[in-house]
Amino acid sequence: MSIRIKKITAPETHELRHQVMWPNKPKEFVRLPNDEKGLHLGLLKKTELVCVVSLFITGNRAQFRKFATKTSEQGNGYGTLLLKHLMTITRDQKIETIWCNARVDKAPFYERFGMTQTPKKFMRAGIHYVLMEKTFEKKV
Ligand SMILES: CC(C)(COP(=O)(O)OP(=O)(O)OC[C@H]1O[C@@H](n2cnc3c(N)ncnc32)[C@H](O)[C@@H]1OP(=O)(O)O)[C@@H](O)C(=O)NCCC(=O)NCCS
């Protein structure tokens, strides 16, 4: 099976974001005001985009957002592959901390990547979130 991860454009992420995360909201809901400033990655299975994530860097911190795997492909390890790749390139860019607003039910998934829950919690559109982060150890 041919699997590859590549850089994609913001508009290329929108369909999966919409289908997977907010199917009941209008399409515009999944667009981010700073989408053009993000680094967008997609995992392709053959030619089909099955998982997307977007990274936004501010100083030495990077936030990833809108992480979504096509519903019928969830649980196959694609999210893990993409998140590992994202962590590697983030670390290589000398970013100190990677963070995300995680859906609370997904916290155990992110904990497996060494991310920890902070006390910052909030609710949006009926979903509970917790800010999770991971600070990379400095390379010698
Ligand atoms: C979060 C999300 C992007 C993860 O992507 P994914 O491709 O399903 O990720 P993985 O397949 O690597 O891991 C998902 C689960 O399958 C398990 N898994 C991975 N590979 C597996 C395999 N080969 N066999 C069995 N289980 C496996 C993982 O351990 C993980 O378990 P968990 O959910 O209990 O933590 C995906 O679930 C998603 O799009 N969810 C809806 C949107 C969302 O919630 N986005 C994140 C907001 S914080």
Side-chain angles (χ1 to χ4, degrees):
M1 174 86 60
S2 137
I3 303 288
R4 67 198 169 98
I5 292 172
K6 68 166 194 173
K7 213 171 140 178
I8 56 174
T9 63
E12 286 176 293
T13 67
H14 292 166
E15 197 181 322
L16 264 190
R17 282 186 190 175
H18 185 244
Q19 269 178 24
V20 176
M21 305 185 91
W22 300 103
N24 301 323
K25 301 272 183 192
K27 274 233 159 92
E28 300 73 56
F29 191 80
V30 301
R31 252 184 246 146
L32 295 169
N34 61 345
D35 249 348
E36 294 309 320
K37 299 206 169 95
L39 166 70
H40 308 278
L41 294 178
L43 183 145
L44 287 98
K45 189 175 152 185
K46 290 188 183 153
T47 55
E48 190 195 8
L49 192 59
V50 294
C51 186
V52 294
V53 69
S54 302
L55 189 75
F56 298 89
I57 300 171
T58 311
N60 56 11
R61 289 173 67 83
Q63 178 188 16
F64 68 88
R65 303 187 66 180
K66 307 286 181 226
F67 181 30
T69 299
K70 187 179 171 185
T71 313
S72 59
E73 296 283 4
Q74 288 177 13
N76 290 333
Y78 299 133
T80 300
L81 282 177
L82 192 55
L83 195 53
K84 275 191 181 154
H85 183 82
L86 186 69
M87 294 235 170
T88 305
I89 60 170
T90 306
R91 193 186 172 136
D92 288 350
Q93 288 193 32
K94 309 259 186 301
I95 284 157
E96 283 175 17
T97 303
I98 188 163
W99 67 280
C100 72
N101 288 317
R103 294 185 178 194
V104 166
D105 61 336
K106 279 286 147 201
F109 175 78
Y110 296 116
E111 280 165 352
R112 260 186 257 129
F113 295 86
M115 299 187 75
T116 51
Q117 297 187 45
T118 69
K120 290 180 193 157
K121 295 194 167 84
F122 63 95
M123 202 173 164
R124 179 186 177 226
I127 294 176
H128 291 273
Y129 293 86
V130 55
L131 193 156
M132 295 186 70
E133 62 182 24
K134 174 179 170 124
T135 297
F136 297 111
E137 281 167 33
K138 286 211 166 69
K139 279 186 182 169
V140 240

